[in-house]
Amino acid sequence: MASMSGFTVRGIWAKIGLLLLMFAHFGCNTLKKVGEDELLLTKNTIYADEEQVNEEKVKNLILQRPNSNLLGYPLRLNLYNLAKDDPDSLFRDWLYRKEKREKRLSTLLSKKQVNALGNSFVVKGMSEFLKRIGEPPAIIDTVKTNKSADLIKAYYGSKGFFNNSVDYDIVKGKRKKRAVIDYKIHLGKPFIIDSLLTDIASQQLDSIYQSNTDGSFVKEGKQFDLADFDNERKRLTNLFRNTGVYNFQESSVNFDVVRDTTKFADDQNMEVTLNIRKPRSAGDSIGPSASYEVHRFEKINIYADYEFNVNADSLKSIDFDNYTIFYKDKLRYRPKALTDAIFFEKDSIYREIDKIRTTRQITNLNAFRYPNIEFIPDTTKARLISNVYLSSRPKYSLGLDLDVTHSNIQQVGTAFSTSVTSRNVFGGAETLNISARGSIGLLSDASLSDETFTSEIGGDVNITFPRIWFPFNTESVIPYYMLPQTRMSVGTNFQRNIGLDRQSLNTVLSYNWSPTDFLKNNIELLNIEFVRNTNVDNFFNVYSNTYDRLDDIANDFEDNVDFAEFYDENIDPDRDPDTELDLTIPDGANDFIDAVTVPGFSISPDDLNDVRSIRERRDRLTENNLIFASNYTFTKNNKVGINDLAFYQFRFKIESAGNLLSAVSNIIPYEKNDNNQSLVFGVPFSQYVKTELDYIKHWQTSSTDVLAFRSFFGIAIPYGNSTSIPFVRSYFAGGSNDNRAWNAYELGPGSTSNVNDFNEANLKLALNLEYRFPIVGDIKGALFADAGNIWNVLDSEDNEDAIFSGFDSLRDIALGTGFGLRYDFTYFVFRVDTGFKTYNPAEEASKRWFRDYNFRNAVFNIGINYPF
């Protein structure tokens, strides 16, 4: 087998060599459309005082760039070169090259159709398509090169190097018709801000500025940088708008920069004056009495159920907590629900952040469309009247959804869901949502059930409160600007012909809030889930690997005298006498386990341990579960918009289950089962503690390429009333979002070799690295490496190969590598990833590397959107 592994690796390298040979052959096509006196640009290099510059923002100043490549191969350039420059003329030349060709075609088609062939897709359309998805050769254009040099010069000038100079050299390469361009910058001595003066027209603004100079971007002794002046202008605008100056204009801030030559003629010092002018009027003139002032709120009006064509004088009003609420006919909202969403207060100064928070919280209520907020100034008193116009969303809305699904259980499935939403249920902007869902699918493995199709039906009822619903006041800890929500939900789900057929009932009481756009907190105070397996007799059909292990042990007793009676009752009587015995399901398998585990039965210790392990797994996976848990999740990220390609995301979660029920057992005695576990409603409740750490980081290596990294660690430790983790709370490895060289549930635990059909454990470690790049148009590519595994730890598992015993167990980390293709539909990404088992810990130590590294043993994954 070792030679076979070596042959496989050599075969792969042979294929790679063949691809390289093909690339070399098509490399001749690269210069197809490069003229004799032209040069193909292959690289741009920038040097500042002989030191290479690698900043992406400087590289982006160059107008002409080399052709893109895919792993070093100029794919788009060669696609473009395949297009014909004048396909219509070439067609005409071909048509009349032989005397009777045009006549024969006209007889077969018609003269009009022959003439139309020149403009057809086959002749002309294909060339246009290749040009559209391809890329013309980047032929060096000195006009663009000179413009690029000017842009680089201007950029470094904005950084304080006013006397910099930029030259370039076009260096021909060793390969014909190719060249690189070296941009060489002589920076010179930078200019420094020697003194900073101020000229502020408003005394109030001058006082505010002098109290907030610590965060200034423009400071004495700092190198001149034009970006600092822009940032300082934005900082001052934000400062003044959050200290009462509601109408402050960014255009009122400007700077005078003068070179100081009083000491030396060649001095590099600059004198900067900060000017803050009076506000400009609509005619762009500065009025003689116009001046910025700090404004306070005189009156705050809230227009509930606002309609544009309704006369305000016809509305009714009430005063509540220094707010005036206007409404038509009847106020449908509790006043406090509206005023809690407004962050302006009477006699308080205007702050822009309060306007932003008001808008966010009103949107968070889910009862109104985007609000319109108006400010009316009284210039004589520096007071403001604020009008908040709220337009209600529909009381009820209906949602319908239809999906086509695929999973490890279903070949294909169809899912339908519907929901009804009712807003402002109790007058406090609460939202009630009632949903129902159903699906039907075709089983991937017909042996799992006597029927071919699977079905699932379920429903949920949840209500959302736009506040923390708690006996104590939490506003001082979680103020309303953090968008607090309380969610209560009850749901049930029924599965048929999926595994053991499952019925589940869950109830959740959760709180979530977001201090900023980048921080999120979620507490599930109660997460109660009851899982009932309704078809436990199907266990050995679903978990066929477990059955095969048991059946192999049973075959060893075929000639055993003690086995004869057992055989008569439990072995399929219709079997062929010349074939191995098969235990019937479920009675034969279950009775065999009961028979051989009786003390005194003649069975080897190893087989007895295996049977006991199978029995324990059967009991664990077929027993009903009651999970009474609480958890907390913290999420942090710095992603700014969907187009941000360089960001990180961190998630921490901790969960505890069973502690409350365990505490109650000290007061109310519970019934016990044979394993001395406490029972609630006849079901042993789960008790464990679980924690997870998840970190994602994206680096933008170029304007289009991204290097993505993910790390995950999770552990769940059973204790008290449990010796193992419920299946629904355990970890698995493999699949389209994990280690893509293994199917879901196929990898691990540890160095075991797919012992069970659905392998799971209570410790998981995963590391993923993926390089993403464009190929052609909306088609993207990726190269990835996935590492990780699952293990058992501190639970009832006794298989040493599956148990994490320390750092030595890290040798069981599996490695999968591969490539992927993705198509970007703008709203979602469809991807196909191909994973190869690079290091397989389930193999013998000498055969773990590249043993199954071929397409025959590859795993093909289909997924929606990126895996991380």
Side-chain angles (χ1 to χ4, degrees):
M1 294 301 294
S3 61
M4 285 293 292
S5 177
F7 175 78
T8 301
V9 175
R10 287 196 298 271
I12 291 173
W13 282 111
K15 294 173 184 176
I16 295 174
L18 180 60
L19 286 174
L20 293 174
L21 185 62
M22 292 172 60
F23 287 167
H25 170 72
F26 285 110
C28 301
N29 190 45
T30 303
L31 304 176
K32 180 178 179 180
K33 296 186 179 181
V34 179
E36 289 299 324
D37 298 328
E38 295 176 331
L39 294 172
L40 182 70
L41 177 62
T42 59
K43 186 178 181 182
N44 289 314
T45 309
I46 305 173
Y47 297 95
D49 289 341
E50 299 184 354
E51 184 176 343
Q52 186 169 343
V53 177
N54 293 313
E55 293 180 62
E56 194 67 27
K57 58 185 175 182
V58 180
K59 292 181 178 180
N60 289 336
L61 297 173
I62 299 177
L63 300 177
Q64 193 173 27
R65 302 182 186 182
N67 290 104
S68 61
N69 64 78
L70 176 62
L71 303 179
Y73 177 70
L75 175 63
R76 295 187 64 191
L77 171 60
N78 284 331
L79 288 174
Y80 184 91
N81 287 341
L82 290 174
K84 307 297 182 183
D85 291 332
D86 193 359
D88 183 60
S89 298
L90 292 173
F91 171 75
R92 296 294 172 186
D93 179 66
W94 172 83
L95 183 64
Y96 298 112
R97 189 176 302 160
K98 291 187 178 181
E99 183 177 349
K100 297 182 180 181
R101 179 175 289 168
E102 192 266 345
K103 184 178 180 180
R104 286 197 300 267
L105 281 176
S106 297
T107 302
L108 181 63
L109 302 172
S110 70
K111 192 171 184 64
K112 184 178 180 180
Q113 289 175 323
V114 172
N115 292 331
L117 280 176
N119 294 318
S120 67
F121 176 78
V122 176
V123 176
K124 188 176 181 179
M126 178 58 74
S127 291
E128 292 178 350
F129 173 74
L130 289 171
K131 287 182 179 180
R132 186 168 63 251
I133 66 172
E135 190 177 69
I139 297 172
I140 292 178
D141 185 344
T142 55
V143 174
K144 293 182 179 180
T145 306
N146 285 314
K147 288 183 178 179
S148 299
D150 292 340
L151 290 173
I152 294 173
K153 177 178 174 64
Y155 171 79
Y156 280 99
S158 72
K159 297 299 179 183
F161 298 98
F162 294 154
N163 298 323
N164 81 84
S165 61
V166 181
D167 297 316
Y168 64 86
D169 292 330
I170 299 176
V171 183
K172 293 184 179 181
K174 295 180 180 180
R175 303 173 68 185
K176 66 176 183 177
K177 295 186 181 181
R178 293 174 173 85
V180 301
I181 300 180
D182 293 336
Y183 293 89
K184 299 178 180 179
I185 309 163
H186 176 66
L187 295 176
K189 191 176 180 181
F191 281 71
I192 307 297
I193 298 175
D194 181 59
S195 59
L196 177 62
L197 309 176
T198 59
D199 182 8
I200 302 176
S202 168
Q203 184 177 357
Q204 287 184 321
L205 264 62
D206 183 67
S207 176
I208 295 172
Y209 171 79
Q210 297 300 338
S211 300
N212 294 272
T213 57
D214 291 342
S216 177
F217 290 92
V218 179
K219 296 181 178 180
E220 294 180 356
K222 193 175 182 180
Q223 181 175 324
F224 179 94
D225 190 338
L226 190 60
D228 287 339
F229 291 87
D230 291 335
N231 291 331
E232 180 67 3
R233 187 179 292 109
K234 294 175 181 177
R235 185 188 78 90
L236 292 176
T237 301
N238 183 66
L239 172 65
F240 294 137
R241 286 182 180 175
N242 281 284
T243 50
V245 190
Y246 84 99
N247 60 339
F248 187 82
Q249 303 167 1
E250 188 174 319
S251 59
S252 296
V253 181
N254 62 69
F255 297 89
D256 293 332
V257 182
V258 180
R259 182 178 177 184
D260 186 0
T261 57
T262 56
K263 299 178 181 178
F264 302 99
D266 60 346
D267 202 341
Q268 307 297 113
N269 294 328
M270 312 290 294
E271 181 183 274
V272 176
T273 301
L274 166 64
N275 304 305
I276 301 180
R277 304 303 184 191
K278 293 181 179 181
R280 295 182 181 273
S281 64
D284 199 36
S285 61
I286 301 176
S289 60
S291 179
Y292 285 119
E293 292 184 288
V294 174
H295 285 72
R296 295 182 179 273
F297 286 101
E298 177 70 21
K299 186 176 178 61
I300 302 168
N301 301 318
I302 303 174
Y303 290 82
D305 299 328
Y306 173 75
E307 296 179 10
F308 180 75
N309 56 355
V310 176
N311 188 348
D313 295 334
S314 65
L315 299 176
K316 300 178 181 179
S317 66
I318 62 169
D319 291 327
F320 179 82
D321 199 17
N322 290 325
Y323 295 90
T324 302
I325 302 174
F326 293 88
Y327 59 95
K328 181 181 178 181
D329 299 331
K330 180 182 178 180
L331 182 60
R332 298 190 294 119
Y333 304 91
R334 290 201 302 271
K336 183 171 173 55
L338 298 177
T339 58
D340 282 346
I342 310 299
F343 293 92
F344 313 127
E345 296 180 1
K346 180 177 171 56
D347 296 326
S348 67
I349 65 171
Y350 171 87
R351 298 198 312 165
E352 184 82 3
I353 187 64
D354 290 335
K355 178 183 177 183
I356 296 173
R357 288 172 174 174
T358 298
T359 301
R360 292 179 65 211
Q361 177 60 4
I362 291 174
T363 304
N364 183 54
L365 295 180
N366 196 33
F368 303 100
R369 296 184 175 92
Y370 195 82
N372 180 21
I373 303 177
E374 179 184 35
F375 301 102
I376 302 174
D378 180 349
T379 55
T380 59
K381 300 179 182 179
R383 309 288 284 186
L384 284 176
I385 297 176
S386 174
N387 295 322
V388 182
Y389 300 102
L390 305 178
S391 178
S392 297
R393 300 180 66 182
K395 173 69 174 179
Y396 301 101
S397 62
L398 175 67
L400 299 172
D401 193 17
L402 180 66
D403 291 320
V404 177
T405 61
H406 168 77
S407 69
N408 297 314
I409 301 295
Q410 295 179 347
Q411 288 184 6
V412 64
T414 301
F416 174 81
S417 62
T418 182
S419 64
V420 176
T421 300
S422 176
R423 298 179 177 86
N424 193 37
V425 180
F426 305 121
E430 302 85 2
T431 302
L432 175 67
N433 183 273
I434 302 174
S435 63
R437 60 189 177 274
S439 68
I440 186 170
L442 181 65
L443 272 174
S444 298
D445 187 353
S447 65
L448 298 180
S449 173
D450 295 333
E451 300 185 31
T452 306
F453 291 93
T454 68
S455 62
E456 184 174 355
I457 188 171
D460 297 283
V461 177
N462 67 75
I463 186 167
T464 302
F465 300 85
R467 64 192 72 88
I468 298 297
W469 192 73
F470 206 69
F472 309 105
N473 188 356
T474 61
E475 187 176 351
S476 59
V477 181
I478 307 174
Y480 283 105
Y481 75 81
M482 293 185 181
L483 311 181
Q485 285 187 335
T486 300
R487 292 180 179 173
M488 302 173 64
S489 68
V490 177
T492 186
N493 194 64
F494 299 87
Q495 295 177 345
R496 187 167 181 270
N497 295 334
I498 303 177
L500 304 178
D501 292 356
R502 177 181 297 172
Q503 176 185 353
S504 65
L505 177 68
N506 66 285
T507 301
V508 178
L509 170 61
S510 68
Y511 308 100
N512 64 79
W513 67 96
S514 302
T516 70
D517 290 336
F518 308 108
L519 298 175
K520 292 183 180 181
N521 298 272
N522 184 78
I523 292 178
E524 289 186 347
L525 187 63
L526 292 176
N527 186 329
I528 305 172
E529 183 175 12
F530 173 72
V531 180
R532 175 174 171 262
N533 295 302
T534 60
N535 189 12
V536 295
D537 289 343
N538 201 37
F539 174 81
F540 286 108
N541 285 322
V542 175
Y543 298 91
S544 57
N545 283 1
T546 302
Y547 170 78
D548 290 341
R549 289 166 55 200
L550 183 66
D551 192 55
D552 288 342
I553 296 173
N555 289 335
D556 293 338
F557 291 88
E558 184 175 357
D559 299 326
N560 193 302
V561 175
D562 296 330
F563 190 72
E565 181 180 355
F566 180 79
Y567 161 78
D568 292 337
E569 294 181 4
N570 298 285
I571 303 301
D572 189 350
D574 296 329
R575 70 178 183 88
D576 185 343
D578 295 330
T579 62
E580 291 186 341
L581 305 176
D582 290 326
L583 292 170
T584 57
I585 297 175
D587 295 336
N590 290 332
D591 290 348
F592 176 77
I593 292 175
D594 293 340
V596 301
T597 52
V598 172
F601 189 88
S602 178
I603 185 174
S604 69
D606 290 341
D607 285 346
L608 180 60
N609 287 335
D610 285 345
V611 173
R612 286 174 175 171
S613 176
I614 291 171
R615 180 180 62 182
E616 180 181 348
R617 179 171 174 79
R618 180 202 61 187
D619 293 344
R620 185 168 79 87
L621 296 182
T622 58
E623 71 177 358
N624 299 329
N625 296 124
L626 176 61
I627 305 172
F628 205 103
S630 300
N631 64 67
Y632 167 72
T633 303
F634 171 78
T635 305
K636 181 180 181 180
N637 74 83
N638 67 342
K639 187 173 184 178
V640 182
I642 60 175
N643 295 320
D644 188 359
L645 300 180
F647 66 92
Y648 73 86
Q649 177 179 302
F650 172 75
R651 183 180 66 88
F652 166 75
K653 180 178 181 180
I654 185 168
E655 178 173 299
S656 177
N659 291 334
L660 180 60
L661 294 178
S662 179
V664 172
S665 67
N666 296 324
I667 304 173
I668 304 175
Y670 294 141
E671 293 183 5
K672 302 280 187 177
N673 62 9
D674 295 339
N675 297 322
N676 199 35
Q677 292 177 299
S678 299
L679 304 179
V680 177
F681 304 117
V683 179
F685 64 86
S686 300
Q687 192 169 9
Y688 62 86
V689 61
K690 180 179 182 181
T691 187
E692 294 177 355
L693 295 170
D694 193 359
Y695 179 75
I696 296 173
K697 174 69 175 177
H698 286 198
W699 293 274
Q700 187 174 359
T701 58
S702 71
S703 59
T704 57
D705 296 2
V706 172
L707 182 65
F709 169 76
R710 182 196 181 200
S711 61
F712 176 87
F713 173 79
I715 184 172
I717 302 174
Y719 64 96
N721 206 52
S722 297
T723 58
S724 60
I725 301 298
F727 184 85
V728 293
R729 291 292 197 271
S730 60
Y731 297 111
F732 70 92
S736 60
N737 294 323
D738 193 64
N739 196 320
R740 286 160 281 186
W742 280 262
N743 291 312
Y745 293 99
E746 189 180 70
L747 174 61
S751 60
T752 61
S753 180
N754 199 20
V755 174
N756 304 304
D757 301 85
F758 296 91
N759 295 284
E760 40 80 35
N762 63 328
L763 171 65
K764 180 174 182 177
L765 178 64
L767 299 167
N768 308 87
L769 188 66
E770 182 170 278
Y771 180 64
R772 302 166 184 167
F773 51 87
I775 298 178
V776 174
D778 292 326
I779 300 176
K780 317 290 183 181
L783 299 174
F784 61 82
D786 300 327
N789 206 335
I790 55 174
W791 293 267
N792 290 92
V793 61
L794 301 176
D795 64 357
S796 58
E797 179 62 51
D798 56 7
N799 185 347
E800 294 184 359
D801 292 336
I803 297 175
F804 187 88
S805 57
F807 287 106
D808 290 342
S809 295
L810 295 179
R811 69 166 67 96
D812 297 334
I813 292 178
L815 175 63
T817 57
F819 61 89
L821 292 176
R822 290 88 192 271
Y823 190 88
D824 191 347
F825 286 94
T826 304
Y827 296 105
F828 68 94
V829 175
F830 176 81
R831 60 184 172 91
V832 178
D833 292 331
T834 303
F836 301 93
K837 294 178 177 63
T838 308
Y839 178 83
N840 188 354
E843 298 285 356
E844 297 178 19
S846 61
K847 301 177 181 179
R848 292 182 173 181
W849 286 99
F850 299 105
R851 180 175 175 81
D852 295 321
Y853 204 87
N854 50 58
F855 281 98
R856 183 181 60 187
N857 293 297
V859 175
F860 300 94
N861 300 275
I862 295 177
I864 302 297
N865 293 328
Y866 292 107
F868 52 90

